[in-house]
Amino acid sequence: MKHNLVSTFLLLFLQCIGILAQGPSPSPTPTPPPSRATAPAPGPPGPTNVTKILEKAGQCSTFIRLLQTTQEISQITSLLNNSNSITIFVPPDNAFLSMKEGTLNSLNDQQKSELIKFHVLPQYFSLSQFQTASNPMQTQAGGTSNREFPINITTNGTSVNITTGTSVNITTGIVNASISNTIYIDSQLAIYQVDKVLLPLQFFVPPAPTPAPSPPNPKNNDDSLDSDSVSSVSSGVINSPRELLFFLAVFCFVYMS
């Protein structure tokens, strides 16, 4: 019994010595957290979405439809994407309904495209800048002669403020319209609501007739006489040298008497 206790004690003592000889167990190496991928830098903003602006404004479905069916929305987007500044006049749906019945349907595809372009100025105008605008103003539809697509813009006050009644008036030769609201404006694009559809003069006034060529100058009757006629007249007065001498003799006799 005593021998067994001694043996057990020695065994435990040897195990303790072995454990102390191994030293403390190493702590586990911490695993680093997974690295996060660096987010790419945001690119430059795209061109302003004119369609979404008009949809948000409301009551512009007819103008939006014309923009899309004529594909002029692509041209406008391209202008903005290339850093061009423009001004757009947008008639609301009730302005189209107020037109003479059948007017819009009577236009062919090219005229509908020109109608949309007629509502776009190829430069940016704030409301105050309309006060110093030079008339007639060119539109995206064409030039400024009466046979093309000019508009005239005037203001009726020293400072433009739509809310106080100082308005911007637009004349096309067919309609007189006014800016009724500012839909959108930044440093590149201005969109204004107008109370009427802007109809160009060229659609409804026939072109001026081509002037007729000038008539040829009439010939002088005296110049029309040919040499034979002159000879004939001359021969009727003096037919020979004898008659000439006779004529001179009579003249001298009369003169001396």
Side-chain angles (χ1 to χ4, degrees), residues 136-175:
M137 298 183 66
Q138 182 173 343
T139 66
Q140 282 291 105
T144 58
S145 73
N146 282 337
R147 300 313 322 139
E148 294 180 300
F149 299 88
I151 61 174
N152 291 289
I153 297 181
T154 58
T155 59
N156 64 355
T158 57
S159 62
V160 178
N161 189 336
I162 295 175
T163 59
T164 61
T166 305
S167 61
V168 179
N169 303 314
I170 305 171
T171 303
T172 72
I174 297 296
V175 297

PDB file of all heavy atoms in Angstrom, residues 136-175:
ATOM      1  N   PRO A 136     -34.426  89.515 -84.864  1.00  0.00           N
ATOM      2  CA  PRO A 136     -35.066  88.224 -84.581  1.00  0.00           C
ATOM      3  C   PRO A 136     -34.054  87.207 -84.086  1.00  0.00           C
ATOM      4  O   PRO A 136     -32.878  87.270 -84.434  1.00  0.00           O
ATOM      5  CB  PRO A 136     -35.646  87.825 -85.933  1.00  0.00           C
ATOM      6  CG  PRO A 136     -34.744  88.466 -86.931  1.00  0.00           C
ATOM      7  CD  PRO A 136     -34.310  89.768 -86.316  1.00  0.00           C
ATOM      8  N   MET A 137     -34.529  86.255 -83.264  1.00  0.00           N
ATOM      9  CA  MET A 137     -33.653  85.249 -82.684  1.00  0.00           C
ATOM     10  C   MET A 137     -33.728  83.959 -83.497  1.00  0.00           C
ATOM     11  O   MET A 137     -34.792  83.555 -83.947  1.00  0.00           O
ATOM     12  CB  MET A 137     -34.049  84.992 -81.233  1.00  0.00           C
ATOM     13  CG  MET A 137     -33.925  86.207 -80.346  1.00  0.00           C
ATOM     14  SD  MET A 137     -34.331  85.836 -78.623  1.00  0.00           S
ATOM     15  CE  MET A 137     -32.999  84.715 -78.212  1.00  0.00           C
ATOM     16  N   GLN A 138     -32.579  83.333 -83.649  1.00  0.00           N
ATOM     17  CA  GLN A 138     -32.520  82.085 -84.407  1.00  0.00           C
ATOM     18  C   GLN A 138     -32.900  80.906 -83.520  1.00  0.00           C
ATOM     19  O   GLN A 138     -32.570  80.857 -82.335  1.00  0.00           O
ATOM     20  CB  GLN A 138     -31.120  81.866 -84.970  1.00  0.00           C
ATOM     21  CG  GLN A 138     -30.970  80.607 -85.820  1.00  0.00           C
ATOM     22  CD  GLN A 138     -29.620  80.523 -86.498  1.00  0.00           C
ATOM     23  OE1 GLN A 138     -28.916  81.519 -86.602  1.00  0.00           O
ATOM     24  NE2 GLN A 138     -29.257  79.348 -86.961  1.00  0.00           N
ATOM     25  N   THR A 139     -33.617  79.958 -84.090  1.00  0.00           N
ATOM     26  CA  THR A 139     -33.966  78.722 -83.409  1.00  0.00           C
ATOM     27  C   THR A 139     -33.193  77.566 -84.029  1.00  0.00           C
ATOM     28  O   THR A 139     -32.526  77.720 -85.054  1.00  0.00           O
ATOM     29  CB  THR A 139     -35.473  78.446 -83.518  1.00  0.00           C
ATOM     30  OG1 THR A 139     -35.798  78.185 -84.900  1.00  0.00           O
ATOM     31  CG2 THR A 139     -36.284  79.644 -83.035  1.00  0.00           C
ATOM     32  N   GLN A 140     -33.325  76.382 -83.426  1.00  0.00           N
ATOM     33  CA  GLN A 140     -32.664  75.197 -83.971  1.00  0.00           C
ATOM     34  C   GLN A 140     -33.263  74.786 -85.304  1.00  0.00           C
ATOM     35  O   GLN A 140     -32.651  74.026 -86.054  1.00  0.00           O
ATOM     36  CB  GLN A 140     -32.787  74.027 -82.988  1.00  0.00           C
ATOM     37  CG  GLN A 140     -31.824  74.085 -81.813  1.00  0.00           C
ATOM     38  CD  GLN A 140     -30.388  73.868 -82.234  1.00  0.00           C
ATOM     39  OE1 GLN A 140     -29.596  74.809 -82.290  1.00  0.00           O
ATOM     40  NE2 GLN A 140     -30.039  72.633 -82.532  1.00  0.00           N
ATOM     41  N   ALA A 141     -34.448  75.324 -85.645  1.00  0.00           N
ATOM     42  CA  ALA A 141     -35.103  74.938 -86.891  1.00  0.00           C
ATOM     43  C   ALA A 141     -34.479  75.597 -88.104  1.00  0.00           C
ATOM     44  O   ALA A 141     -34.583  75.078 -89.216  1.00  0.00           O
ATOM     45  CB  ALA A 141     -36.594  75.273 -86.822  1.00  0.00           C
ATOM     46  N   GLY A 142     -33.838  76.753 -87.938  1.00  0.00           N
ATOM     47  CA  GLY A 142     -33.260  77.422 -89.096  1.00  0.00           C
ATOM     48  C   GLY A 142     -32.910  78.862 -88.810  1.00  0.00           C
ATOM     49  O   GLY A 142     -32.778  79.279 -87.665  1.00  0.00           O
ATOM     50  N   GLY A 143     -32.791  79.635 -89.903  1.00  0.00           N
ATOM     51  CA  GLY A 143     -32.312  81.012 -89.820  1.00  0.00           C
ATOM     52  C   GLY A 143     -33.379  81.991 -89.380  1.00  0.00           C
ATOM     53  O   GLY A 143     -34.422  81.630 -88.832  1.00  0.00           O
ATOM     54  N   THR A 144     -33.135  83.270 -89.682  1.00  0.00           N
ATOM     55  CA  THR A 144     -33.978  84.330 -89.129  1.00  0.00           C
ATOM     56  C   THR A 144     -34.722  85.140 -90.179  1.00  0.00           C
ATOM     57  O   THR A 144     -35.337  86.148 -89.845  1.00  0.00           O
ATOM     58  CB  THR A 144     -33.111  85.301 -88.303  1.00  0.00           C
ATOM     59  OG1 THR A 144     -32.068  85.839 -89.140  1.00  0.00           O
ATOM     60  CG2 THR A 144     -32.488  84.595 -87.113  1.00  0.00           C
ATOM     61  N   SER A 145     -34.695  84.738 -91.447  1.00  0.00           N
ATOM     62  CA  SER A 145     -35.483  85.467 -92.442  1.00  0.00           C
ATOM     63  C   SER A 145     -36.931  85.008 -92.356  1.00  0.00           C
ATOM     64  O   SER A 145     -37.254  84.001 -91.721  1.00  0.00           O
ATOM     65  CB  SER A 145     -34.933  85.221 -93.855  1.00  0.00           C
ATOM     66  OG  SER A 145     -35.256  83.908 -94.291  1.00  0.00           O
ATOM     67  N   ASN A 146     -37.830  85.746 -93.020  1.00  0.00           N
ATOM     68  CA  ASN A 146     -39.250  85.401 -92.956  1.00  0.00           C
ATOM     69  C   ASN A 146     -39.551  84.054 -93.602  1.00  0.00           C
ATOM     70  O   ASN A 146     -40.583  83.452 -93.329  1.00  0.00           O
ATOM     71  CB  ASN A 146     -40.083  86.490 -93.631  1.00  0.00           C
ATOM     72  CG  ASN A 146     -40.256  87.708 -92.749  1.00  0.00           C
ATOM     73  OD1 ASN A 146     -40.147  87.602 -91.538  1.00  0.00           O
ATOM     74  ND2 ASN A 146     -40.518  88.849 -93.348  1.00  0.00           N
ATOM     75  N   ARG A 147     -38.680  83.595 -94.443  1.00  0.00           N
ATOM     76  CA  ARG A 147     -38.913  82.309 -95.075  1.00  0.00           C
ATOM     77  C   ARG A 147     -38.302  81.182 -94.272  1.00  0.00           C
ATOM     78  O   ARG A 147     -38.313  80.032 -94.701  1.00  0.00           O
ATOM     79  CB  ARG A 147     -38.354  82.288 -96.496  1.00  0.00           C
ATOM     80  CG  ARG A 147     -38.944  83.300 -97.429  1.00  0.00           C
ATOM     81  CD  ARG A 147     -40.461  83.421 -97.432  1.00  0.00           C
ATOM     82  NE  ARG A 147     -41.189  82.180 -97.293  1.00  0.00           N
ATOM     83  CZ  ARG A 147     -42.264  82.057 -96.543  1.00  0.00           C
ATOM     84  NH1 ARG A 147     -42.699  83.071 -95.836  1.00  0.00           N
ATOM     85  NH2 ARG A 147     -42.881  80.902 -96.463  1.00  0.00           N
ATOM     86  N   GLU A 148     -37.766  81.480 -93.088  1.00  0.00           N
ATOM     87  CA  GLU A 148     -37.173  80.439 -92.265  1.00  0.00           C
ATOM     88  C   GLU A 148     -37.906  80.398 -90.919  1.00  0.00           C
ATOM     89  O   GLU A 148     -39.132  80.362 -90.915  1.00  0.00           O
ATOM     90  CB  GLU A 148     -35.664  80.679 -92.137  1.00  0.00           C
ATOM     91  CG  GLU A 148     -34.945  80.521 -93.477  1.00  0.00           C
ATOM     92  CD  GLU A 148     -33.441  80.749 -93.360  1.00  0.00           C
ATOM     93  OE1 GLU A 148     -33.051  81.848 -92.950  1.00  0.00           O
ATOM     94  OE2 GLU A 148     -32.702  79.820 -93.686  1.00  0.00           O
ATOM     95  N   PHE A 149     -37.178  80.412 -89.797  1.00  0.00           N
ATOM     96  CA  PHE A 149     -37.826  80.159 -88.512  1.00  0.00           C
ATOM     97  C   PHE A 149     -37.384  81.160 -87.436  1.00  0.00           C
ATOM     98  O   PHE A 149     -36.823  80.771 -86.417  1.00  0.00           O
ATOM     99  CB  PHE A 149     -37.518  78.736 -88.047  1.00  0.00           C
ATOM    100  CG  PHE A 149     -38.013  77.669 -88.992  1.00  0.00           C
ATOM    101  CD1 PHE A 149     -37.211  77.236 -90.034  1.00  0.00           C
ATOM    102  CD2 PHE A 149     -39.267  77.107 -88.824  1.00  0.00           C
ATOM    103  CE1 PHE A 149     -37.667  76.260 -90.901  1.00  0.00           C
ATOM    104  CE2 PHE A 149     -39.723  76.129 -89.684  1.00  0.00           C
ATOM    105  CZ  PHE A 149     -38.923  75.703 -90.726  1.00  0.00           C
ATOM    106  N   PRO A 150     -37.647  82.446 -87.633  1.00  0.00           N
ATOM    107  CA  PRO A 150     -37.258  83.400 -86.582  1.00  0.00           C
ATOM    108  C   PRO A 150     -38.344  83.553 -85.531  1.00  0.00           C
ATOM    109  O   PRO A 150     -39.518  83.275 -85.773  1.00  0.00           O
ATOM    110  CB  PRO A 150     -37.092  84.697 -87.373  1.00  0.00           C
ATOM    111  CG  PRO A 150     -38.153  84.586 -88.436  1.00  0.00           C
ATOM    112  CD  PRO A 150     -38.237  83.120 -88.792  1.00  0.00           C
ATOM    113  N   ILE A 151     -37.946  83.993 -84.351  1.00  0.00           N
ATOM    114  CA  ILE A 151     -38.898  84.429 -83.334  1.00  0.00           C
ATOM    115  C   ILE A 151     -38.403  85.750 -82.763  1.00  0.00           C
ATOM    116  O   ILE A 151     -37.214  86.051 -82.814  1.00  0.00           O
ATOM    117  CB  ILE A 151     -39.082  83.398 -82.197  1.00  0.00           C
ATOM    118  CG1 ILE A 151     -37.757  83.139 -81.463  1.00  0.00           C
ATOM    119  CG2 ILE A 151     -39.678  82.104 -82.718  1.00  0.00           C
ATOM    120  CD1 ILE A 151     -37.925  82.249 -80.241  1.00  0.00           C
ATOM    121  N   ASN A 152     -39.335  86.520 -82.247  1.00  0.00           N
ATOM    122  CA  ASN A 152     -39.008  87.779 -81.581  1.00  0.00           C
ATOM    123  C   ASN A 152     -39.421  87.675 -80.122  1.00  0.00           C
ATOM    124  O   ASN A 152     -40.544  87.244 -79.813  1.00  0.00           O
ATOM    125  CB  ASN A 152     -39.732  88.947 -82.253  1.00  0.00           C
ATOM    126  CG  ASN A 152     -39.190  89.228 -83.637  1.00  0.00           C
ATOM    127  OD1 ASN A 152     -38.082  89.728 -83.797  1.00  0.00           O
ATOM    128  ND2 ASN A 152     -39.968  88.887 -84.660  1.00  0.00           N
ATOM    129  N   ILE A 153     -38.519  88.073 -79.228  1.00  0.00           N
ATOM    130  CA  ILE A 153     -38.774  87.978 -77.795  1.00  0.00           C
ATOM    131  C   ILE A 153     -38.629  89.362 -77.169  1.00  0.00           C
ATOM    132  O   ILE A 153     -37.634  90.048 -77.388  1.00  0.00           O
ATOM    133  CB  ILE A 153     -37.813  86.983 -77.119  1.00  0.00           C
ATOM    134  CG1 ILE A 153     -38.044  85.575 -77.684  1.00  0.00           C
ATOM    135  CG2 ILE A 153     -37.988  86.988 -75.610  1.00  0.00           C
ATOM    136  CD1 ILE A 153     -37.165  84.518 -77.074  1.00  0.00           C
ATOM    137  N   THR A 154     -39.633  89.761 -76.426  1.00  0.00           N
ATOM    138  CA  THR A 154     -39.621  91.060 -75.755  1.00  0.00           C
ATOM    139  C   THR A 154     -40.063  90.881 -74.305  1.00  0.00           C
ATOM    140  O   THR A 154     -40.695  89.884 -73.945  1.00  0.00           O
ATOM    141  CB  THR A 154     -40.565  92.057 -76.450  1.00  0.00           C
ATOM    142  OG1 THR A 154     -41.898  91.516 -76.467  1.00  0.00           O
ATOM    143  CG2 THR A 154     -40.113  92.328 -77.873  1.00  0.00           C
ATOM    144  N   THR A 155     -39.722  91.860 -73.477  1.00  0.00           N
ATOM    145  CA  THR A 155     -40.176  91.879 -72.084  1.00  0.00           C
ATOM    146  C   THR A 155     -40.951  93.167 -71.858  1.00  0.00           C
ATOM    147  O   THR A 155     -40.730  94.170 -72.542  1.00  0.00           O
ATOM    148  CB  THR A 155     -38.988  91.804 -71.113  1.00  0.00           C
ATOM    149  OG1 THR A 155     -38.113  92.926 -71.350  1.00  0.00           O
ATOM    150  CG2 THR A 155     -38.197  90.520 -71.322  1.00  0.00           C
ATOM    151  N   ASN A 156     -41.848  93.127 -70.896  1.00  0.00           N
ATOM    152  CA  ASN A 156     -42.692  94.301 -70.660  1.00  0.00           C
ATOM    153  C   ASN A 156     -42.392  94.981 -69.342  1.00  0.00           C
ATOM    154  O   ASN A 156     -43.258  95.576 -68.725  1.00  0.00           O
ATOM    155  CB  ASN A 156     -44.177  93.908 -70.711  1.00  0.00           C
ATOM    156  CG  ASN A 156     -44.546  92.934 -69.603  1.00  0.00           C
ATOM    157  OD1 ASN A 156     -43.682  92.480 -68.856  1.00  0.00           O
ATOM    158  ND2 ASN A 156     -45.831  92.614 -69.496  1.00  0.00           N
ATOM    159  N   GLY A 157     -41.132  94.901 -68.889  1.00  0.00           N
ATOM    160  CA  GLY A 157     -40.759  95.570 -67.653  1.00  0.00           C
ATOM    161  C   GLY A 157     -39.261  95.694 -67.538  1.00  0.00           C
ATOM    162  O   GLY A 157     -38.502  95.152 -68.337  1.00  0.00           O
ATOM    163  N   THR A 158     -38.815  96.423 -66.551  1.00  0.00           N
ATOM    164  CA  THR A 158     -37.386  96.626 -66.358  1.00  0.00           C
ATOM    165  C   THR A 158     -36.711  95.421 -65.735  1.00  0.00           C
ATOM    166  O   THR A 158     -35.506  95.238 -65.853  1.00  0.00           O
ATOM    167  CB  THR A 158     -37.138  97.852 -65.466  1.00  0.00           C
ATOM    168  OG1 THR A 158     -37.829  97.676 -64.216  1.00  0.00           O
ATOM    169  CG2 THR A 158     -37.648  99.116 -66.148  1.00  0.00           C
ATOM    170  N   SER A 159     -37.490  94.572 -65.038  1.00  0.00           N
ATOM    171  CA  SER A 159     -36.956  93.347 -64.462  1.00  0.00           C
ATOM    172  C   SER A 159     -37.962  92.236 -64.679  1.00  0.00           C
ATOM    173  O   SER A 159     -39.167  92.444 -64.519  1.00  0.00           O
ATOM    174  CB  SER A 159     -36.661  93.512 -62.967  1.00  0.00           C
ATOM    175  OG  SER A 159     -37.853  93.801 -62.267  1.00  0.00           O
ATOM    176  N   VAL A 160     -37.460  91.063 -65.068  1.00  0.00           N
ATOM    177  CA  VAL A 160     -38.347  89.963 -65.398  1.00  0.00           C
ATOM    178  C   VAL A 160     -38.636  89.158 -64.143  1.00  0.00           C
ATOM    179  O   VAL A 160     -37.740  88.640 -63.491  1.00  0.00           O
ATOM    180  CB  VAL A 160     -37.708  89.060 -66.473  1.00  0.00           C
ATOM    181  CG1 VAL A 160     -38.626  87.885 -66.789  1.00  0.00           C
ATOM    182  CG2 VAL A 160     -37.433  89.863 -67.731  1.00  0.00           C
ATOM    183  N   ASN A 161     -39.907  89.064 -63.796  1.00  0.00           N
ATOM    184  CA  ASN A 161     -40.347  88.267 -62.652  1.00  0.00           C
ATOM    185  C   ASN A 161     -41.752  87.785 -62.967  1.00  0.00           C
ATOM    186  O   ASN A 161     -42.713  88.549 -62.905  1.00  0.00           O
ATOM    187  CB  ASN A 161     -40.336  89.085 -61.367  1.00  0.00           C
ATOM    188  CG  ASN A 161     -40.582  88.216 -60.142  1.00  0.00           C
ATOM    189  OD1 ASN A 161     -41.178  87.155 -60.238  1.00  0.00           O
ATOM    190  ND2 ASN A 161     -40.129  88.689 -58.988  1.00  0.00           N
ATOM    191  N   ILE A 162     -41.842  86.513 -63.363  1.00  0.00           N
ATOM    192  CA  ILE A 162     -43.120  85.981 -63.808  1.00  0.00           C
ATOM    193  C   ILE A 162     -44.178  86.083 -62.729  1.00  0.00           C
ATOM    194  O   ILE A 162     -45.346  86.364 -62.987  1.00  0.00           O
ATOM    195  CB  ILE A 162     -42.940  84.526 -64.270  1.00  0.00           C
ATOM    196  CG1 ILE A 162     -42.037  84.489 -65.505  1.00  0.00           C
ATOM    197  CG2 ILE A 162     -44.274  83.881 -64.599  1.00  0.00           C
ATOM    198  CD1 ILE A 162     -41.686  83.101 -65.967  1.00  0.00           C
ATOM    199  N   THR A 163     -43.780  85.886 -61.473  1.00  0.00           N
ATOM    200  CA  THR A 163     -44.756  85.876 -60.375  1.00  0.00           C
ATOM    201  C   THR A 163     -45.365  87.251 -60.129  1.00  0.00           C
ATOM    202  O   THR A 163     -46.461  87.363 -59.592  1.00  0.00           O
ATOM    203  CB  THR A 163     -44.098  85.382 -59.075  1.00  0.00           C
ATOM    204  OG1 THR A 163     -42.993  86.239 -58.753  1.00  0.00           O
ATOM    205  CG2 THR A 163     -43.593  83.962 -59.242  1.00  0.00           C
ATOM    206  N   THR A 164     -44.669  88.325 -60.536  1.00  0.00           N
ATOM    207  CA  THR A 164     -45.202  89.673 -60.327  1.00  0.00           C
ATOM    208  C   THR A 164     -45.831  90.246 -61.588  1.00  0.00           C
ATOM    209  O   THR A 164     -46.185  91.413 -61.628  1.00  0.00           O
ATOM    210  CB  THR A 164     -44.082  90.604 -59.845  1.00  0.00           C
ATOM    211  OG1 THR A 164     -43.046  90.657 -60.849  1.00  0.00           O
ATOM    212  CG2 THR A 164     -43.492  90.131 -58.542  1.00  0.00           C
ATOM    213  N   GLY A 165     -45.941  89.421 -62.634  1.00  0.00           N
ATOM    214  CA  GLY A 165     -46.627  89.876 -63.827  1.00  0.00           C
ATOM    215  C   GLY A 165     -45.730  90.486 -64.884  1.00  0.00           C
ATOM    216  O   GLY A 165     -46.219  90.898 -65.929  1.00  0.00           O
ATOM    217  N   THR A 166     -44.443  90.587 -64.652  1.00  0.00           N
ATOM    218  CA  THR A 166     -43.519  91.092 -65.664  1.00  0.00           C
ATOM    219  C   THR A 166     -43.088  89.915 -66.524  1.00  0.00           C
ATOM    220  O   THR A 166     -42.304  89.088 -66.096  1.00  0.00           O
ATOM    221  CB  THR A 166     -42.304  91.758 -65.020  1.00  0.00           C
ATOM    222  OG1 THR A 166     -42.759  92.760 -64.125  1.00  0.00           O
ATOM    223  CG2 THR A 166     -41.413  92.386 -66.070  1.00  0.00           C
ATOM    224  N   SER A 167     -43.626  89.818 -67.727  1.00  0.00           N
ATOM    225  CA  SER A 167     -43.504  88.586 -68.500  1.00  0.00           C
ATOM    226  C   SER A 167     -42.552  88.731 -69.673  1.00  0.00           C
ATOM    227  O   SER A 167     -42.123  89.812 -70.040  1.00  0.00           O
ATOM    228  CB  SER A 167     -44.882  88.139 -68.993  1.00  0.00           C
ATOM    229  OG  SER A 167     -45.427  89.137 -69.840  1.00  0.00           O
ATOM    230  N   VAL A 168     -42.259  87.568 -70.237  1.00  0.00           N
ATOM    231  CA  VAL A 168     -41.464  87.465 -71.461  1.00  0.00           C
ATOM    232  C   VAL A 168     -42.413  87.050 -72.578  1.00  0.00           C
ATOM    233  O   VAL A 168     -43.087  86.016 -72.483  1.00  0.00           O
ATOM    234  CB  VAL A 168     -40.332  86.429 -71.311  1.00  0.00           C
ATOM    235  CG1 VAL A 168     -39.543  86.314 -72.605  1.00  0.00           C
ATOM    236  CG2 VAL A 168     -39.405  86.821 -70.165  1.00  0.00           C
ATOM    237  N   ASN A 169     -42.492  87.849 -73.622  1.00  0.00           N
ATOM    238  CA  ASN A 169     -43.429  87.612 -74.718  1.00  0.00           C
ATOM    239  C   ASN A 169     -42.687  87.101 -75.945  1.00  0.00           C
ATOM    240  O   ASN A 169     -41.595  87.582 -76.269  1.00  0.00           O
ATOM    241  CB  ASN A 169     -44.177  88.899 -75.060  1.00  0.00           C
ATOM    242  CG  ASN A 169     -44.913  89.471 -73.858  1.00  0.00           C
ATOM    243  OD1 ASN A 169     -45.591  88.748 -73.141  1.00  0.00           O
ATOM    244  ND2 ASN A 169     -44.739  90.773 -73.632  1.00  0.00           N
ATOM    245  N   ILE A 170     -43.297  86.149 -76.631  1.00  0.00           N
ATOM    246  CA  ILE A 170     -42.689  85.506 -77.799  1.00  0.00           C
ATOM    247  C   ILE A 170     -43.644  85.653 -78.974  1.00  0.00           C
ATOM    248  O   ILE A 170     -44.822  85.295 -78.884  1.00  0.00           O
ATOM    249  CB  ILE A 170     -42.413  84.015 -77.533  1.00  0.00           C
ATOM    250  CG1 ILE A 170     -41.562  83.846 -76.270  1.00  0.00           C
ATOM    251  CG2 ILE A 170     -41.732  83.366 -78.724  1.00  0.00           C
ATOM    252  CD1 ILE A 170     -41.431  82.409 -75.816  1.00  0.00           C
ATOM    253  N   THR A 171     -43.135  86.177 -80.098  1.00  0.00           N
ATOM    254  CA  THR A 171     -43.934  86.380 -81.302  1.00  0.00           C
ATOM    255  C   THR A 171     -43.312  85.608 -82.449  1.00  0.00           C
ATOM    256  O   THR A 171     -42.096  85.695 -82.679  1.00  0.00           O
ATOM    257  CB  THR A 171     -44.017  87.874 -81.661  1.00  0.00           C
ATOM    258  OG1 THR A 171     -44.548  88.597 -80.553  1.00  0.00           O
ATOM    259  CG2 THR A 171     -44.895  88.098 -82.866  1.00  0.00           C
ATOM    260  N   THR A 172     -44.158  84.870 -83.171  1.00  0.00           N
ATOM    261  CA  THR A 172     -43.664  84.075 -84.310  1.00  0.00           C
ATOM    262  C   THR A 172     -44.175  84.572 -85.653  1.00  0.00           C
ATOM    263  O   THR A 172     -43.731  84.106 -86.691  1.00  0.00           O
ATOM    264  CB  THR A 172     -44.084  82.606 -84.156  1.00  0.00           C
ATOM    265  OG1 THR A 172     -45.495  82.484 -84.379  1.00  0.00           O
ATOM    266  CG2 THR A 172     -43.741  82.067 -82.784  1.00  0.00           C
ATOM    267  N   GLY A 173     -45.106  85.516 -85.642  1.00  0.00           N
ATOM    268  CA  GLY A 173     -45.770  85.918 -86.878  1.00  0.00           C
ATOM    269  C   GLY A 173     -47.093  85.205 -87.056  1.00  0.00           C
ATOM    270  O   GLY A 173     -47.934  85.633 -87.851  1.00  0.00           O
ATOM    271  N   ILE A 174     -47.307  84.114 -86.319  1.00  0.00           N
ATOM    272  CA  ILE A 174     -48.573  83.385 -86.332  1.00  0.00           C
ATOM    273  C   ILE A 174     -49.250  83.469 -84.969  1.00  0.00           C
ATOM    274  O   ILE A 174     -50.460  83.671 -84.874  1.00  0.00           O
ATOM    275  CB  ILE A 174     -48.352  81.910 -86.731  1.00  0.00           C
ATOM    276  CG1 ILE A 174     -47.791  81.815 -88.151  1.00  0.00           C
ATOM    277  CG2 ILE A 174     -49.656  81.118 -86.634  1.00  0.00           C
ATOM    278  CD1 ILE A 174     -48.718  82.316 -89.232  1.00  0.00           C
ATOM    279  N   VAL A 175     -48.464  83.289 -83.897  1.00  0.00           N
ATOM    280  CA  VAL A 175     -49.019  83.332 -82.538  1.00  0.00           C
ATOM    281  C   VAL A 175     -48.193  84.277 -81.677  1.00  0.00           C
ATOM    282  O   VAL A 175     -47.015  84.523 -81.953  1.00  0.00           O
ATOM    283  CB  VAL A 175     -49.046  81.931 -81.889  1.00  0.00           C
ATOM    284  CG1 VAL A 175     -49.944  80.997 -82.659  1.00  0.00           C
ATOM    285  CG2 VAL A 175     -47.644  81.355 -81.769  1.00  0.00           C
TER     286      VAL A 175
END
